[in-house]
């Protein structure tokens, strides 16, 4: 893996990840925990530490090379790019040959638990702070509760069982814990989002952009219920209704006209964005709030490394309905998401590739042969000069209103109400210059939702979780020739060996379960 470059976060909080809580010690020459957690500034610093672990954003390279390998490399709409072939741990994820020592999954797991630790620390320390406005204190605690639920959710989406960390543990002997039953983990996650929503604001002030809101808590609450509805068939109707109830409360957002603007830095924190990672070119005090995602996504012709590519299946999906957009072309999302061989990129009256014709950029000069070319456009800067910079400050949306609309449509349709789902689907299609969907049956709506989620959220790392929710992981991956995928082995990642080695209680649990299985 490339050398990690740490983001220096402007915090006065000292962050520790060792087993013992150094902040609870009392050395003569250092600030103690009791002395530290005294006012609004310390509460905000603690909360900043909790936010800092979102999506491995604590290190510029890790952000791209962990999140964008662990999550999408399993998709049928994603392919490992040329750069990935230099890194065995990346290819293991794409080829399903990984084990529980894979570095990418280990870092993903540990970052999430570090985020949980910081969230629990805020929940443990901030209530006793007196020098803080009471209402703002409640908001900070609600944000920490949301983040604790969010980190646990990310873990449960990728591991079949996880360790639920309910409290901030200051004593080493209490840190080791067993894996919790999956239902127990779901209950904990859902309760966190329910509790957080009560005291979160509808909107955050301009100086607090990126922090959690009621909309974020309700969106992830609905997502948790929707996912759980498929996992527990006996309660599917109950959870679908709860998902619907959560989604319909997400208000105050609207779809933006230009999809790409949310992914090239020109429309940060848009009216469609519900939860979004913040990056900035601000370097005051030595701060570093940037990443290298444009290099990881970008192809070599555009100054990138090509670590991740769209598969041919993705372009096929974009072209599936033909040139029926009101523009006379394919679905507008195709042009906002990809570069591909189309006259759209040869005509100055439509759009070029950074001012050049498609053929000028994507022809091999030494041969004059056209390269078969499908590459991502999302997360690339809007102009040529920043394209070749070594870093980027483009924000990364994690939850958009389009996702809420399509998940609500799914909840309606699975409850046998396709007539309520269709208008929501058509709302999302209208932004892409596409006509209303055809068909009115539950089956037709179900198929349309899958299509819309593919083309709407390409490179947003939702596809694998969608496939698993619908029970279609093997079908989709085998269809594109990735036949070594086995849902029994690969629907979830294995518990990291480093966790097993350092967690005595977990190790004993796994040994006990193995012995019980062998004796059956």
């Amino acid at each position: 893996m490339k050398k990690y470059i740490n983001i220096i976060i402007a915090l006065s909080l000292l962050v520790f990840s060792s087993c013992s809580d150094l902040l609870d010690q009392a050395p003569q020459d250092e600030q103690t925990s009791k002395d530290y957690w005294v006012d609004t500034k310390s509460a905000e610093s603690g909360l900043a530490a909790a936010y800092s672990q979102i999506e491995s954003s604590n290190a510029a390279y890790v952000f791209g090379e962990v999140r964008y390998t662990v999550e999408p490399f399993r998709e049928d709409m994603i392919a490992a790019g040329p750069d990935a072939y230099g890194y065995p741990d990346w290819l293991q994820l794409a080829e399903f040959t990984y084990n529980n020592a894979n570095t990418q999954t280990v870092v993903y797991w540990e970052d999430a638990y570090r985020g949980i630790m910081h969230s629990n620390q805020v929940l443990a320390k901030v209530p006793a702070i007196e020098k803080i406005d009471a209402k703002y204190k409640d908001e900070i605690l609600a944000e920490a509760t949301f983040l604790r639920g969010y980190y646990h959710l990310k873990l449960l989406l990728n591991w079949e069982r996880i360790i639920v960390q309910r409290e901030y543990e200051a004593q080493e002997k209490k840190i080791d814990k067993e894996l919790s039953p999956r239902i127990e983990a779901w209950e904990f996650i859902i309760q966190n989002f329910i509790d957080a929503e009560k005291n979160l604001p509808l909107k955050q002030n301009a100086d607090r952009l990126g922090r959690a809101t009621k909309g974020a808590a309700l969106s992830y609450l609905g997502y948790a219920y929707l996912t759980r509805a498929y996992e527990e068939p006996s309660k599917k109707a109950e959870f679908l209704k709860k998902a619907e109830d959560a989604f319909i409360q997400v208000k105050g957002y609207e779809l933006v006209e230009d999809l790409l603007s949310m992914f090239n830095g020109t429309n940060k924190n848009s009216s469609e964005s519900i939860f979004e990672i913040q990056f900035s070119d601000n370097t005051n005090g030595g701060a570093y709030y940037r990443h290298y995602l444009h290099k990881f996504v970008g192809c070599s012709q555009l100054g990138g490394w090509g670590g991740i590519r769209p598969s041919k299946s993705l372009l096929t999906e974009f072209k599936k309905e033909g040139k029926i957009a009101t523009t006379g072309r394919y679905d507008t999302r195709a042009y906002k998401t990809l570069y591909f061989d189309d006259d759209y990129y040869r005509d100055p009256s439509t759009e070029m590739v950074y001012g050049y014709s498609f053929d000028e950029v994507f022809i091999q000069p030494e041969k004059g042969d056209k390269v078969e070319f499908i590459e991502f456009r999302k997360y690339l800067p809007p102009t040529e000069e920043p394209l070749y910079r070594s870093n980027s400050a483009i924000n990364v949306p994690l939850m958009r209103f389009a996702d809420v609309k399509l998940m609500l449509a799914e909840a309606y349709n699975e409850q046998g109400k396709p007539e309520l789902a269709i208008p929501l689907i058509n709302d999302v299609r209208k932004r892409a210059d596409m006509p209303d969907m055809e068909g009115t049956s539950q089956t037709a709506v179900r198929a349309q939702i899958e299509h819309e989620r593919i083309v709407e959220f390409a490179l947003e790392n939702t596809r694998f979780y969608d496939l698993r929710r619908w029970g279609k992981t093997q079908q989709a991956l085998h269809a594109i020739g990735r036949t070594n995928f086995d849902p029994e082995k690969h629907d979830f990642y294995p518990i990291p060996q480093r966790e097993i080695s350092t967690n005595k209680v977990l190790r004993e649990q796994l040994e006990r379960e193995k012995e019980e299985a062998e004796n059956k």
Side-chain angles (χ1 to χ4, degrees), residues 163-302:
I163 301 167
V164 173
Q165 295 286 4
R166 300 175 182 275
E167 298 177 346
Y168 176 63
E169 301 291 1
Q171 298 181 33
E172 184 175 350
K173 63 182 180 181
K174 294 184 178 181
I175 291 176
D176 289 358
K177 288 183 173 62
E178 290 189 348
L179 297 169
S180 297
R182 191 168 178 84
I183 291 177
E184 180 182 320
W186 273 125
E187 290 290 345
F188 182 70
I189 290 165
I190 286 169
Q191 193 60 53
N192 272 265
F193 292 141
I194 290 173
D195 292 343
E197 185 273 333
K198 296 173 185 175
N199 289 314
L200 286 172
L202 288 171
K203 293 286 185 181
Q204 291 284 5
N205 296 334
D207 60 341
R208 298 176 188 169
L209 290 176
R211 290 169 62 171
T213 61
K214 285 183 180 294
L218 288 166
S219 297
Y220 282 104
L221 174 63
Y223 181 42
Y225 279 133
L226 182 64
T227 305
R228 194 174 174 189
Y230 290 83
E231 292 188 6
E232 299 175 48
S234 65
K235 294 186 176 181
K236 186 173 184 178
E238 173 190 344
F239 290 140
L240 286 172
K241 184 61 172 68
K242 288 183 176 181
E244 173 193 332
D245 291 343
F247 289 138
I248 62 176
Q249 294 181 69
V250 180
K251 301 181 183 298
Y253 302 92
E254 59 183 10
L255 303 183
V256 302
E257 183 176 351
D258 183 1
L259 173 70
L260 184 60
S261 69
M262 293 182 284
F263 299 92
N264 66 8
T266 61
N267 194 6
K268 292 185 174 185
N269 303 300
S270 72
S271 60
E272 185 172 335
S273 178
I274 296 175
F275 194 46
E276 181 167 316
I277 307 179
Q278 308 296 300
F279 291 98
S280 172
D281 283 322
N282 184 352
T283 57
N284 292 340
Y288 197 101
Y289 305 105
R290 288 167 283 177
H291 57 79
Y292 295 78
L293 190 53
H294 69 306
K295 293 292 187 183
F296 191 69
V297 170
C299 60
S300 60
Q301 291 92 334
L302 296 175

Side-chain angles (χ1 to χ4, degrees), residues 394-440:
I394 294 172
N395 279 8
V396 177
L398 299 177
M399 177 65 73
R400 298 194 278 120
F401 194 45
D403 202 352
V404 171
K405 280 180 172 289
L406 290 178
M407 288 192 290
L408 177 57
E410 184 177 339
Y412 279 142
N413 193 54
E414 293 304 314
Q415 292 179 84
K417 297 181 281 188
E419 71 281 359
L420 298 180
I422 290 172
L424 295 167
I425 296 169
N426 289 336
D427 283 347
V428 177
R429 288 175 63 80
K430 183 178 179 181
R431 190 251 301 279
D433 302 311
M434 294 294 280
D436 289 352
M437 67 164 284
E438 297 182 357
T440 58

Side-chain angles (χ1 to χ4, degrees), residues 367-383:
K367 296 181 180 179
D369 296 328
K370 188 179 295 182
V371 180
E372 183 178 12
F373 194 81
I374 315 167
E375 296 291 346
F376 279 116
R377 190 180 180 193
K378 275 183 176 177
Y379 294 117
L380 300 188
T383 58

Side-chain angles (χ1 to χ4, degrees), residues 118-187:
H118 291 314
S119 301
N120 278 334
Q121 189 177 46
V122 171
L123 292 169
K125 305 295 184 180
V126 170
I129 297 177
E130 297 179 358
K131 296 179 181 180
I132 185 173
D133 175 78
K135 184 175 183 297
Y136 187 41
K137 179 195 285 190
D138 288 342
E139 288 184 14
I140 287 176
L141 293 171
E143 288 181 70
T145 302
F146 167 83
L147 289 171
R148 181 172 65 180
Y150 176 83
Y151 287 123
H152 277 94
L153 175 64
K154 297 299 288 185
L155 287 163
L156 199 62
L157 288 173
N158 287 287
W159 281 270
E160 189 168 15
R161 288 190 297 170
I162 63 171
I163 301 167
V164 173
Q165 295 286 4
R166 300 175 182 275
E167 298 177 346
Y168 176 63
E169 301 291 1
Q171 298 181 33
E172 184 175 350
K173 63 182 180 181
K174 294 184 178 181
I175 291 176
D176 289 358
K177 288 183 173 62
E178 290 189 348
L179 297 169
S180 297
R182 191 168 178 84
I183 291 177
E184 180 182 320
W186 273 125
E187 290 290 345

